[in-house]
Amino acid sequence: MSALHDLTVAELAAKLRSKEVSAVEAAQHFLARGARHSNLGAYLDVREDVTLAQAKAADARIATGDTAPLLGVPIAHKDIFVTKDFVSTAGSKMLAGYRSPFNATVVTRLAEAGAVTLGKLNCDEFAMGSSNENSAFKPAQNPWDTTRIPGGSSGGSAAAVAARLAPAVTGTDTGGSIRQPAALTGITGLKPTYGRVSRYGMIAFASSLDQAGVLTRTAEDA
């Protein structure tokens, strides 16, 4: 069997539904892989207890016959999206330690679909940058060549997918902040039509232009 991190989103979802692998096992695998590759600077906040609690809840739903499309699939969120259970900083020390009282709509919808959150991903501070060198905490690195940038502002998101630290992640795009890092790391990034995806709970760079989207390995992942 292929390693879990080599599976597409669709392949992993199918194995979770068939109970070939549990959501807890998938979460543990990606958490361990993320820890091994922490030098890439992809993650800003990881909380194993939160992730495993979500994974256990997903397994309980699977046991009842629930077939939600992303049930048990591990994902991660760009740190632009506010979250109740993880720190939300937008890559800025001005928000260091901030815990939101609510989840962004994107986070809520993915949780309802059964996705398990691995953590929060690095980005240029307040999404102002195109290299992920402007994060206040640490730069993200391109996993294909760590002397090079992964692009930005969704650089942590792109690095996480390219390094197989998560099968799919969220990002945001104002003038290329999903599409450019996807190109620089050899993955697929989608910026939906403006307004197609709710911006509620996004710490926006320019709220009249920002759009939430997704980064994943290929267009065939979903």
Side-chain angles (χ1 to χ4, degrees):
M1 185 180 78
S2 298
L4 293 181
H5 58 268
D6 288 327
L7 299 176
T8 67
V9 172
E11 289 169 342
L12 182 53
K15 289 188 179 295
L16 287 160
R17 284 193 297 271
S18 67
K19 301 179 184 177
E20 292 181 59
V21 63
S22 71
V24 168
E25 289 170 337
Q28 289 173 329
H29 178 87
F30 281 98
L31 287 169
R33 187 168 175 81
R36 286 197 301 273
H37 297 281
S38 61
N39 62 299
L40 295 175
Y43 282 95
L44 291 181
D45 192 36
V46 175
R47 296 175 186 270
E48 184 175 339
D49 57 334
V50 173
T51 299
L52 293 181
Q54 291 182 9
K56 289 175 183 177
D59 280 331
R61 287 175 60 180
I62 291 169
T64 67
D66 192 335
T67 58
L70 294 177
L71 192 50
V73 174
I75 65 167
H77 293 293
K78 182 177 180 179
D79 204 25
I80 288 295
F81 297 98
V82 298
T83 46
K84 292 192 295 185
D85 295 324
F86 294 86
V87 170
S88 302
T89 69
S92 175
K93 289 186 178 179
M94 285 188 283
L95 292 175
Y98 173 65
R99 296 284 289 271
S100 170
F102 65 94
N103 285 326
T105 297
V106 165
V107 175
T108 297
R109 293 289 179 84
L110 285 168
E112 290 171 350
V116 173
T117 302
L118 293 168
K120 302 295 289 296
L121 296 163
N122 204 354
C123 59
D124 286 297
E125 188 169 8
F126 293 112
M128 296 182 185
S130 56
S131 65
N132 215 145
E133 294 172 295
N134 298 317
S135 168
F137 298 100
K138 55 188 173 181
Q141 298 176 331
N142 192 317
W144 300 110
D145 180 349
T146 56
T147 67
R148 298 179 183 270
I149 62 169
S153 63
S154 303
S157 296
V161 172
R164 309 297 193 259
L165 309 184
V169 302
T170 59
T172 58
D173 193 313
T174 304
S177 287
I178 288 174
R179 295 162 289 170
Q180 182 248 34
L184 266 60
T185 56
I187 61 172
T188 297
L190 174 65
K191 179 190 180 183
T193 301
Y194 181 78
R196 181 71 176 172
V197 180
S198 172
R199 293 180 292 108
Y200 182 75
M202 279 174 48
I203 305 171
F205 170 35
S207 62
S208 60
L209 295 171
D210 275 9
Q211 186 58 60
V214 63
L215 296 95
T216 188
R217 285 165 50 193
T218 73
E220 297 178 351
D221 274 1

